[in-house]
Each structure stands twice: as structure tokens, then as C-alpha cells.
């Protein structure tokens, strides 16, 4: 059986030679427009003596949470393996919420009968300004040349996907924003945030660009959503149904929350048959 992964091109040339070339081109155009809107780089002459990081296209047939195909996705990434430590990056670690932290989030939400909503931040890393000077080769299929033929490269301004420090830069950006709003991370779980105001409680679970919010008061959740939407481009997915491939079922009568991963198991068996 041919899976969705089998039909995904591994390179720009494969994408352009596939029967879905128009769809892949549209996906790349969308990605390039996002790069432009986020002012991701400036084109400059290749600097002498500076390391120039490679770039490549990564393609994916995106699927919905239950595993069905939904759209074409093309992402431009830096080839982080070509970065040089001490020149292009220093620290790389960035935390994400653990499964234990996620269970704590849902456990408290169930005990307090809190409303739970789900949000997704688009092109999350591109919201982060780089603190290091990095140059990257232009993406294949979208190269711009000077009239004199001199090579131009991308002087990166934002933490593009693939950079070794991209996740860390994004973590600093989103965590500083949440802290400024009034949320505080747990000492033992830095991606689980809490805020208590009088008799109200709000929790936020963060996994890179996936956000789950639980609140005892609807107004508090609305205020946080509005603040997030003013700072980041995001998708409000409403009441939570899925998170990190986990199905979330909430019994409105009892407040019980049931977490299942049947869809992930089914996908595994389909892909290994």
C-alpha cells in the first residue's frame, strides 16, 4: 500500500516533476510570501570569510488530526548541520511540555471543571529575532541575481526553521510574552504556565507552537487569546479535541477528561502493513 509519505517529494526537482507540481509550487509561493511578510532576511553580497549556511525545501502532505489528507505544505529550512559552533550559534536547548506536564494540565482542568481551548501559532519561529549574524544560501527556485552576476545570500533576521538555535530563540520569545501577560511557568515544568487572580485560575500548556489554554473564567481566556492574536499570527481551534496526536474527550456532565491515541496507533499499523 502506498502511503502519503511515499508520495511526498524529497527535493525541489522531484516536486517540480511530480503530477502535483502546481500544488507544490503554490505551497512554496505561500512559504516565500510568509518569509517576506515576516522580514526574514535581507539579500546581500556573499561576505568574504563568513560561513554561509545551506538551505533546502521540505515537503509534506499535511493530514488532519485523524490522519486524513488535508493540504500541501512546503517549508524552507536552513541546513543547520552546516552551522559552526561559536560563529553561527551558541546555546541550542529549548524545553517543551512533557507528557507528565500535559497530564497535570488536564488533571487540574478536570478537577476545576475548566474550559479548555486549543490554538496554533503559524510560522512560530519566524516571530523570533536572531541574536547572531547568520548568512544562508537563497532557496532553490527563487534565487535573485545581481546584474553584475555577483552572488547574493540571505542575511537572516529571523530564526528560520532548521537553525540549531531556532527553537531556543522562539522559546525565549513566547515565554517572555506569556510572562509579561502575567502567566508564570512552573519551576519543574517550564512549558506549563499558570495565573491566579482572586478566585480565577488559568493554565497554559506549550509544545513549540501548540497551545492549550484552560480557564475557570471565559473572560480571562478571551483576554489571553486577544493578546496572543495581536502579537502572533495564529489559528484559534476553539474547544480542544486533539493535541499532539491525542484525542481529547470531555464529559460535560461529569467533567471527566479521557485521552486516547487510537488514531496514532491506527496510522502506525497502516504504515507498517
Amino acid at each position: 500500500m502506498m502511503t502519503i509519505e511515499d508520495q511526498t517529494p524529497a527535493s525541489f526537482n522531484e516536486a517540480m516533476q511530480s503530477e502535483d507540481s502546481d500544488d507544490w509550487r503554490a505551497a512554496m509561493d505561500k512559504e516565500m510570501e510568509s518569509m517576506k511578510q515576516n522580514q526574514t532576511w535581507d539579500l546581500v553580497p556573499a561576505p568574504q570569510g563568513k560561513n554561509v549556511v545551506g538551505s533546502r525545501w521540505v515537503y509534506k502532505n499535511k493530514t488532519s488530526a485523524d490522519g486524513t489528507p488535508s493540504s500541501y505544505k512546503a517549508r524552507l529550512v536552513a541546513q543547520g548541520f552546516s552551522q559552526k559552533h561559536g560563529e553561527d550559534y551558541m546555546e541550542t536547548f529549548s524545553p517543551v511540555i512533557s507528557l507528565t506536564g500535559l497530564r497535570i494540565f488536564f488533571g487540574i482542568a478536570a478537577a476545576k471543571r475548566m474550559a479548555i481551548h486549543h490554538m496554533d501559532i503559524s510560522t512560530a519561529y519566524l516571530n523570533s529575532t536572531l541574536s547572531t549574524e547568520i548568512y544562508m544560501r537563497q532557496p532553490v527556485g527563487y534565487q535573485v541575481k545581481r546584474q553584475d552576476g555577483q552572488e547574493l545570500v540571505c542575511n537572516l533576521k529571523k530564526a528560520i526553521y532548521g537553525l540549531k538555535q531556532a527553537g531556543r530563540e522562539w522559546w525565549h520569545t513566547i515565554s517572555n510574552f506569556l510572562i509579561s501577560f502575567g502567566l508564570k511557568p512552573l519551576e519543574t515544568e517550564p512549558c506549563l504556565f499558570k495565573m491566579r487572580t482572586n478566585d480565577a485560575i488559568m493554565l497554559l500548556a506549550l509544545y513549540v507552537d501548540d497551545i492549550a489554554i484552560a480557564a475557570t473564567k471565559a473572560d480571562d481566556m478571551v483576554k489571553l487569546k486577544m493578546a496572543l492574536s495581536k502579537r502572533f499570527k495564529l489559528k484559534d481551534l476553539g474547544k480542544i479535541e486533539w493535541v499532539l496526536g491525542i484525542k481529547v474527550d470531555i464529559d460535560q456532565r461529569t467533567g471527566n477528561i479521557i485521552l486516547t491515541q487510537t488514531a496514532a496507533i491506527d496510522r502506525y499499523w497502516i504504515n507498517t502493513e
Side-chain angles (χ1 to χ4, degrees), residues 181-198:
F181 184 82
L183 289 154
K184 295 182 179 180
L186 272 63
E187 291 185 7
T188 56
E189 192 67 51
C191 286
L192 180 56
F193 295 77
K194 66 176 180 179
M195 185 169 74
R196 184 188 295 272
T197 56
N198 298 326

Side-chain angles (χ1 to χ4, degrees), residues 128-200:
S128 308
T129 301
L130 278 174
S131 56
T132 308
E133 185 179 31
I134 300 179
Y135 297 92
M136 183 187 77
R137 300 200 183 281
Q138 293 186 62
V140 176
Y142 294 85
Q143 295 98 328
V144 177
K145 295 182 180 180
R146 281 186 21 162
Q147 290 183 349
D148 60 5
Q150 185 176 12
E151 180 186 6
L152 294 176
V153 295
C154 303
N155 181 6
L156 294 179
K157 303 297 183 183
K158 299 297 180 66
I160 190 172
Y161 289 85
L163 291 179
K164 290 181 179 294
Q165 70 269 46
R168 185 177 180 85
E169 297 281 18
W170 162 243
W171 158 247
H172 283 306
T173 297
I174 184 64
S175 61
N176 287 338
F177 174 83
L178 294 174
I179 290 171
S180 70
F181 184 82
L183 289 154
K184 295 182 179 180
L186 272 63
E187 291 185 7
T188 56
E189 192 67 51
C191 286
L192 180 56
F193 295 77
K194 66 176 180 179
M195 185 169 74
R196 184 188 295 272
T197 56
N198 298 326
D199 59 340

